[in-house]
Amino acid sequence: LNENIPQNEEEMFWTLDAVVSRRFELKDSKHKFDMQLNMKNLLNRQYAYVRGYVMPGINFLITIRYAFN
């Protein structure tokens, strides 16, 4: 809510996030791949930045990048 008053204050929360990444190179070294896995809210805690707005539970994002040389 827009008003900065004690009634609108949300409870404190914490989340556990992790990131794993790896670079792969083919034998000729001209082709490089980066793969990254982001894992957010691993403990599936319920939290809110904004009252009445549902925040995601545990979620994953996989990113693959290819470098053209």
Side-chain angles (χ1 to χ4, degrees):
L1 301 173
N2 291 335
E3 297 174 283
N4 190 10
I5 57 176
Q7 291 83 0
N8 292 338
E9 185 176 349
E10 293 292 336
E11 292 182 25
M12 187 173 78
F13 64 89
W14 54 270
T15 63
L16 178 64
D17 302 340
V19 176
V20 178
S21 63
R22 172 75 194 245
R23 171 168 281 182
F24 300 96
E25 295 184 23
L26 298 181
K27 291 182 182 180
D28 63 4
S29 297
K30 292 183 180 181
H31 301 283
K32 296 178 183 174
F33 297 89
D34 291 325
M35 182 180 282
Q36 185 173 15
L37 172 63
N38 293 307
M39 300 161 284
K40 298 190 180 237
N41 197 8
L42 288 174
L43 301 176
N44 202 25
R45 302 281 283 183
Q46 297 299 314
Y47 64 98
Y49 284 114
V50 179
R51 187 177 301 172
Y53 183 76
V54 178
M55 303 309 281
I58 187 170
N59 58 85
F60 302 93
L61 173 65
I62 298 173
T63 307
I64 300 173
R65 287 185 218 137
Y66 175 73
F68 293 97
N69 291 332

